[in-house]
Amino acid sequence: MEQKQSICFSGQDFSGENFSGESWQGKSYRNCRFDGCDLQECLMENCLFESCSFRFAQMGALEAAGCAFLNCIFENAQLFSARFCSCKCTGSFFSGAETDTFILSGGSYAYTSFFGCSLRKSSLSGISFEGSDLRECDLTGADLRECGLQHLLIAGAKLKGADLRGAAIEGTDLKAAVLDNTRIDVAQAIALAASLHCRVE
């Protein structure tokens, strides 16, 4: 299904459609369904998706640049080698998606759920995850330097070998995560000590 540029779609059901390899620029979708769609190798630039569903969508090697995915659902989506560059995904839901090789570069994922997802060894520096649900998320070896990690739900998250230096962690209980050889800076160490009722002298 070819779609014209600069058109806003609202309440449309595209479930099961094959959009593989298409290029979309400046398109807007509100309350649309892309469940089970083939979106592999698509190029999306400056598109808006608001309250859209991508359940079970095939999104391998998709590239999204400067897009907004607001309050969208990616449950059970296949995101192998998909790349989101400078995207805003506020309030979205990735829990249950295949994210092992999902590439995030810049942007904001505030108030987004990655519950139980794997982002092992991902380069996530500078991204905002403020208020997000990272419980049980595998962030082993991830680069989280300078990230916004304030007010996270983080119980059971694996931060083994992760680098958190320079990240904002206000309101986040790091001791609820699995820490092992995790790199933190002095300010973070003091905050962690205070949460354990310890004193750094």
Side-chain angles (χ1 to χ4, degrees):
M1 178 188 295
E2 279 297 325
Q3 299 179 30
K4 296 179 181 179
Q5 302 290 334
S6 304
I7 291 180
C8 179
F9 295 88
S10 180
Q12 299 294 304
D13 188 350
F14 301 107
S15 296
E17 294 283 353
N18 185 351
F19 299 111
S20 179
E22 291 192 11
S23 295
W24 298 355
Q25 294 182 333
K27 296 181 178 180
S28 296
Y29 300 86
R30 290 181 170 87
N31 299 303
C32 293
R33 294 178 60 187
F34 295 90
D35 298 342
C37 280
D38 186 346
L39 294 162
Q40 297 180 91
E41 299 184 356
C42 279
L43 175 61
M44 300 176 177
E45 296 180 298
N46 303 313
C47 293
L48 168 66
F49 300 87
E50 185 173 353
S51 299
C52 293
S53 172
F54 295 87
R55 291 183 175 92
F56 294 96
Q58 302 294 317
M59 304 177 78
L62 177 148
E63 293 202 17
C67 294
F69 297 89
L70 310 178
N71 300 309
C72 292
I73 299 175
F74 294 87
E75 185 178 9
N76 295 309
Q78 304 294 318
L79 289 159
F80 296 113
S81 298
R83 182 187 298 271
F84 282 21
C85 180
S86 299
C87 291
K88 183 177 181 180
C89 293
T90 305
S92 289
F93 186 89
F94 288 90
S95 186
E98 293 290 343
T99 56
D100 283 313
T101 55
F102 186 25
I103 302 167
L104 308 180
S105 176
S108 174
Y109 295 81
Y111 305 99
T112 290
S113 176
F114 286 96
F115 178 85
C117 290
S118 175
L119 294 169
R120 291 174 58 91
K121 299 183 178 179
S122 295
S123 180
L124 304 169
S125 58
I127 294 175
S128 173
F129 292 99
E130 181 177 358
S132 289
D133 185 353
L134 301 183
R135 291 175 298 163
E136 306 296 333
C137 189
D138 189 351
L139 291 158
T140 302
D143 181 358
L144 294 162
R145 288 175 296 170
E146 307 296 334
C147 281
L149 303 178
Q150 308 98 316
H151 307 289
L152 297 182
L153 296 175
I154 200 168
K158 298 179 180 67
L159 292 171
K160 298 179 180 180
D163 191 344
L164 276 63
R165 291 174 296 167
I169 60 170
E170 293 83 4
T172 294
D173 184 10
L174 281 183
K175 67 180 184 295
V178 180
L179 306 176
D180 183 5
N181 199 32
T182 306
R183 303 184 73 179
I184 59 176
D185 58 32
V186 173
Q188 292 166 340
I190 293 172
L192 182 58
S195 72
L196 295 168
H197 307 290
C198 296
R199 192 169 59 187
V200 178
E201 297 181 342

